[in-house]
Amino acid sequence: MLASGSAWRVLEAEHARLRHLLDAIVRSLDDDAWQDPGPQLDLLRARIQEFQDFEVQTHRPKGVVLLSSLRGRLAEADRLLDDIEEEGQKCEDLQAQAVTMLESVGNGADPDRAVIASLLRQHCERMIRQLDLEDTALKAYTAQLLTPQEWSRVASSISQEVQRARRASSPGKNQGRRPEG
């Protein structure tokens, strides 16, 4: 099906981008200079923010119609969706804890840097496993359970999100406004 192939190409390209951003976070952690206020700490925080922005504002909205179309079709698929949702929340919690601790480093406090690094590494590892699960099990369930009409709706929804993102990033348009999502 053309619609399913198009939808998954977009989602997999975004998964590749998310993996790249997660890898950049890990590379920043490998340089101990982030542990003190300064440019490397700022870079780590910027990389985390870039990941958050892309995941929440760009990637996540594209999955809404896909996941809602799949929900309620098969108990095993619903368990997978529940697992993905639960794991996503755990990842957000790990990242939020780390960001809070990083802010205190920037403010001159002395939190345990090993804990910060551990939280961020756990977040990155769990996110990568979740993306792998979406690229395999979720993709297989969608291929098995969604009809061509549902795929058309999913692909249309993804296309609308891509167009919205392009409009939001066009020079001279929407200056000073953040995209909804």
Side-chain angles (χ1 to χ4, degrees):
M1 283 187 275
L2 184 60
S4 66
S6 296
W8 274 107
R9 274 190 296 284
V10 170
L11 295 172
E12 288 170 339
E14 289 186 357
H15 287 179
R17 172 87 174 127
L18 289 167
R19 285 181 181 93
H20 174 77
L21 293 169
L22 292 165
D23 185 56
I25 292 168
V26 170
R27 283 193 320 271
S28 287
L29 292 173
D30 291 340
D31 179 356
D32 291 340
W34 69 267
Q35 296 185 21
D36 296 307
Q40 293 305 314
L41 175 61
D42 294 342
L43 177 62
L44 176 59
R45 290 164 68 179
R47 286 178 169 170
I48 293 167
Q49 187 64 53
E50 184 179 4
F51 170 83
Q52 286 176 316
D53 289 348
F54 186 78
E55 206 277 325
V56 171
Q57 296 171 7
T58 301
H59 181 63
R60 197 177 293 173
K62 290 183 181 80
V64 171
V65 173
L66 176 67
L67 298 180
S68 65
S69 296
L70 191 59
R71 176 91 45 204
R73 299 293 183 87
L74 185 67
E76 293 85 6
D78 283 348
R79 280 193 288 280
L80 174 66
L81 295 175
D82 291 343
D83 290 347
I84 288 172
E85 184 177 295
E86 182 179 321
E87 189 63 20
Q89 186 59 55
K90 287 178 185 175
C91 286
E92 286 181 27
D93 293 346
L94 288 167
Q95 189 177 48
Q97 289 174 339
V99 166
T100 299
M101 293 177 78
L102 279 173
E103 288 174 8
S104 68
V105 171
N107 294 331
D110 192 25
D112 188 335
R113 271 55 166 196
V115 171
I116 296 170
S118 175
L119 290 168
L120 286 172
R121 288 181 193 281
Q122 286 178 61
H123 168 264
C124 291
E125 290 168 7
R126 291 178 95 132
M127 268 312 299
I128 288 170
R129 281 195 308 268
Q130 181 169 335
L131 293 170
D132 291 344
L133 191 60
E134 291 176 16
D135 285 342
T136 56
L138 181 62
K139 185 176 182 180
Y141 279 127
T142 61
Q144 174 188 352
L145 298 172
L146 297 184
T147 67
Q149 295 79 15
E150 290 165 323
W151 272 117
S152 273
R153 200 171 78 242
V154 168
S156 176
S157 169
I158 289 173
S159 178
Q160 289 171 0
E161 285 298 324
V162 168
Q163 291 171 10
R164 181 196 58 80
R166 283 184 184 147
R167 283 190 307 271
S169 66
S170 293
K173 291 188 178 185
N174 300 319
Q175 288 181 342
R177 289 179 42 202
R178 293 188 70 140
E180 295 177 25

